[in-house]
Amino acid sequence: MNYIMPIALLLLLAACGDESATVATTKEVVAAATEQQARGFVFNKWEYEIPRDGAIECPKGLNITDEQFFSDEYAAVREEVKRRFDKGDREGALELLPVDACKDPSAMPDPGFLLFEGNPTVAGLDLDGVNSTAAAGGQCAHDDFKDKNGASGIDYQWWRLMGCVSGMRPDGLYDRLFSTNNTILENGYSTLLELRQVSGTPTDGRVEVRLFTSAGPVTKDTNGQVVRDMSQVVHEDPMFHSAVFPGEIKNGVLTAGPVDAKLKFKVQAIDNYYYFRDLRIQADILPDGTISGLLAGYWDTKNIFDFMTEVYIGPVHLGRSAANNLGYQCAGLYHAIPRVADGHPDPGTGQCTSVSTVIHFAAVPAFIIMPETKNQVAKQ
Amino acid sequence: MKYNKSGSGINRRTFLRGTLGGVAVSIGLPFLDVFLNTNGNALAATGAPLPKRFGTWFFGCGMNPLRWEPKSVGTDWELTPELLPIEPMREHMNILSGFSVLMQGEANQVHRTGVFGALCGGAPKTAETVVGPTLDVLISDTIGTRTRFRSLEMAATANPRHSNSLRDVSSVNPAEPSALGLYTRIFGPGFADPNAAQFTPDPNVLLRKSALSIVAEDRQRLERQLGSSDRARLDQYFTALRQLEQQLELQLQQPPPLAACRVPDAPTDLTHDTEIDNVMGNHALMAKTLALALACDQTRVFNMQFSDRASSLRMAGSTDTHHTLTHEEPRDATLGYQPKATEFVLKSMEAWTQFVQTLNAVPEGDGTLLDNCLVLAHSETSEANTHSVTGLPFMTAGKAGGRLRTGLHISGVGESASRVGLTMQQAMGLNVGQWGADQNETDRPISEILV
Amino acid sequence: MQHLFTLATATALLLLLGCGDAGTSATGGPVAMRRLTDEQYRNAIEDAFGNSVEVAGRFEPEARRDGLNALGASLVAVTSSGFEQYEAMARNIAGQVTSPEKRVALLPCQPASSTAADNACTEQVIRTFGRVLLRRPLEDQDVTPRVEAAAQTATAQGDFYAGAQLALTSLMVAPQFLFRVDVAEPAPLPDAPDRLQLTDLSLATKLSYFLWNRGPDEELLAAAERGELADPEGLAQQVDRMLASKYLADGVRAYFEDIFSFDKFDDLNKDVKQYPIFNNQVAAAAREQTLRFMIDNLVERHGDYRSVFTSRELPMTRLLGPIYGIPVRSAEGWEDATPPANQARAGLLSHASFAMLFSHPGRSSPTLRGVFMREALLCQAIPEAPADVDFTQFVQDVSAVHKTARDRLQVHSTQASCAKCHVLTDPIGLGLENFDGIGRFRTAENEAAIDSSGDFDGRAFTDATQLGAAFAESPLVSACLVQNLYRYAVGRKQTNGERPLLRQLEETFAASGYQVPALMRDIATSEAFRTATAPAEPAPAADTAAREPSFNNTTAEHEDTGLATTSGRSEST
């Protein structure tokens, strides 16, 4: 590590002499100074890629909810359900409703699920290096997408799964509410990204990367934006500390991965975590010191279902409410997930066990503080 | 019951001994003439004239004289660009332009001479002195002795230091910074509703008075040790104590019913800062509470600071204060004035008009509360850019219970602003023939507006 | 080492020449009557009743004179609304103390019957708490009326504690509590026939408020009662005990809070669009940071006062991390930190607190910062802005594009009449321009490079670090501390007779290695501190000596608009 110092000094000297460097932003100055240590970032944006350009329609229609599926049964008990809810008896109310496959997917047979079959341009990465088509056949066969620059082979099977769910579509519930970074800014947890320079410069070189979940909500300013340069503590549970993985910065673009990462997601009634396998990062490091780009990787199939359906208020399971709100049936989703899975085939059965997913993220500089617990994985 | 003016004729504890037994204070108690003034005028409910109220309304950093001062005097004057906002209430107001704080060797203390010169009757000689108590204190010494509060000070900028009301520099009456705080102080515990069907005096009041009387009677021991200026400060302490005693005494008697009085709902403050929208909002809330406080005769003297001396107001989204703009903003070549700074002048006039309208919205007697008020609006400077104390802006609102004409524009043609102060005092019934210090001394009120 | 030796020799010589005598035997100035500050009030309640009692209420604003609220305290009285607040607070506190939850723990005795009067217990309550609140043993005149009133109340209400509450309330609204008065007796000397000496009890109060910002503790009161403070040995013993106490930090804190005008934090407004990370907690943290820094350096580590201007290490808390751009490990509380090496940040002048306080809502203000440094740290008065300056020639040139504060102020230093004042304030204020309106480090403003070099009274500096070093070496800085600390201690400006004392204090301060506790000791044990002259009579009208320093936001005339002075500079005395 001791070649860092002279490089840092050279940088500083260069900064002093160079006309343009005298107008360096604070962040560049600080970044240069802390080169020997990690550069930390805290996410202030996390949203699924929602394709908007090209063929985004669902000609066969959109998925229905349990409420629509069971409409007669719902009608029969609706009054009583409402009465019990109003009395505060949530559990009693939910008891009356037809079988809850969100709590137990085996509770009803597969009612079917409409997958997305369109061909819009999609932001994402070619995770497997293959331009896959469904026609090619095989257990995990699927159609890749193209991105707006024409690059093919973009893997985004999660959209095949959710693209005909009304709440996930452009201008749907998720787009309108959550894409304003609701969860992070609503005192949900956030994700921390750490870069350590291995060689080269902060704008051109090799880095070691790590992802963590934060110990708690982020600090916001009076405009409700995430404060930069704040000290963010890492979550004490090492489950949410990724391994160190390699990365490269070239012309201000960071590419890193692959890594398996479990990242906690906790806001309001939701307390869960994502499990991404072979996750990759491709993001721009901007002149103001912030980062903006994509996380793309394979979302573990079991985790998808758990993640989307495990929603609790107190002892009451609200997965069905979430599904009703977004516009799908848990039973249908449960059986559709293996059908779209395109990653990590089971060695025995050949069934793919993960679904390619794309997340847009942005992050502002932060100081990452490791927590002080006995369980902590020793960090060098 | 015999009672001498110094207040010590009645042994307070003797008086209390008879009533502390928990026996309710009966309305049959002799009416202590402490509740009457020297002329023995009865209170409003018994058919006598409604009380007159006096107040000051202060806005910082003045105006642009050429755009503010009306061009002709008398009743037939046209609204100038900076007076446009007062249009709905002009009939209730007088514009007094051209009155100045005259200086002869005293330095023009920026943002100080204009206000304390006008309110105290003479240009302050040093940065730490004034030539006398402010106008409102003089008036409250006469008309404020019978009410629960001698006077009420409020600041829409939410800062207790934003007050121009003082007896001297050691005793500046702090301003109430919060609309809710103002409301609670007036209508919270301790408020006796004049129109309440039942009246049960709170026995705690007697206890509180008893605690105070122990202190009041110990005065001489401490006074002995002090020099004259410290004794004067101790005097002020005991005046303040006496004021509280008086408040408590009032709480022992059922107040006479007042038709105009009604208890408002508690307000919710807007953000406490100097952003114009929050200031305007908090100002409006305070004005409403004040209007009803006056109608319920909780006080007869008030001081409202809309913006402070060297106005720290800011427009939403702007980083420059009104004051900074008056000095730094270039004069627009076409318009001939500083556009952003002048926005605040208009806002001040707007707020002033709203204030007057709020007083006018309370029916009282045959007319409104405003008819029985005399409010003096003023600023510490005319042209803020140069800190000019020549031709200071003065406006009155209200008829002072019939004592004041309204709707007029009077020009002082450069005479001392003490003429304004003298007029205010005379309109409020003070027995004063001349007022002011040195070159600002005058014996000529503005007779055009006095009935 | 050599430096110290030279100083010591010089001091010894001076003493031999008898120049010291005039200092040590100076009689103090006029007696003072000072109103308690809200912090002092709270400390008094805590001393009397412990910290389980809450003080809730609003205190009247204080008055600042010559840069110190401590001087204003000798000036202010109590207004009606101020008294209302005191009475409400007193009632509330007395109510807590006599409440069923607390009465057993807090009262020194319980009545024979809780539903009737008990004069013996009432008296004990009054004497116990009265001694602490009034800072002296109680006399019959303090006690008897209160016992009587309490007895009447207890009987009438059938509640002993109602009577006790009344008695305690009346103690806390008494002027003897709210004001501390120097009581002095004649003690003439042949060359000082008007000389007075403070009574021991008065001296005890004056000492404890100076060193601890609170009333005397029982040990000090007892020593005063025994007459021990009249004897220099006895006085020194108490002073040394007090300097070793944990409360010394409170006293030092109170002084710097005062001279740094930190009460202005209460009214601090910032434009949230420019500084979205600024809020009340951040401001409070910045305030606390500087005060902790002073205490850490001057009290805990027995540091040299001058080093506060150069010390890079400072206490840090998480909220301030983003402002200084450094990580803060502790989730709560404070840890020592060093700003990043590439920020020219060292010493007091570079703290976020001053950057925040002496700025406009939306940008920094070199002039406000310069005025603060001159007046509070160098004791140099900056003349008031004259009223009638014409700005048109400055603001009319709309073609000029001013990106940095230096540009904006440069225009005004071209005018000789403006430069006269601004040459004092702006060059040093501009030295702090790397710190924006909330104290973040920056190298550019509006994309133009910031030049923070300048000249401090003949000594060149390139940035805030060097400016701090220049302050550390300026004799004016330590002389100013001596003067201000003395004034703070006695509650008024020094008299002519006390000037030699101040000079001597400066010398011993230097000889001690600029140890502030040692300076406090020298002040506390000086003749002048325990002697006095008769109360001042009001001065005749034309008193131009006193002038309130102008580093407050109402006189932002000093900013950007350069104003000529007609009266010329007046040296602060």
Side-chain angles (χ1 to χ4, degrees), chain A residues 310-330:
Chain A
E310 297 247 318
V311 186
Y312 282 91
I313 288 185
V316 180
H317 190 287
L318 293 180
R320 177 160 48 189
S321 303
N324 282 338
N325 266 321
L326 275 177
Y328 62 88
Q329 292 181 272
C330 288

Side-chain angles (χ1 to χ4, degrees), chain C residues 354-376:
Chain C
F354 299 127
M356 279 181 197
L357 216 45
F358 302 111
S359 283
H360 296 300
R363 57 182 154 97
S364 65
S365 172
T367 308
L368 286 177
R369 294 170 185 182
V371 170
F372 165 71
M373 287 189 273
R374 285 286 172 192
E375 294 190 331

Side-chain angles (χ1 to χ4, degrees), chain A residues 12 21-26 29-30 33 37 219-223 227-233 367-372, chain C residues 272-273 275-279 318-319 321-323 325-329 331 340-343 441-444 447-449:
Chain A
L12 285 168
T22 58
V23 302
T25 63
T26 307
V29 169
V30 174
Q37 305 152 29
T219 312
K220 295 179 292 189
D221 66 24
T222 49
N223 292 333
V227 176
R228 43 188 299 167
D229 295 336
M230 182 54 90
S231 298
Q232 305 284 358
V233 181
F367 295 103
I368 295 182
I369 312 280
M370 292 307 288
E372 305 186 0
Chain C
V272 296
K273 295 218 172 33
Y275 306 119
I277 67 171
F278 176 87
N279 59 38
R318 195 162 274 176
L319 272 179
I323 290 185
I326 60 174
V328 181
R329 178 152 296 283
N342 63 333
Q343 290 184 19
F441 187 81
R442 58 179 180 179
T443 51
E447 289 160 22

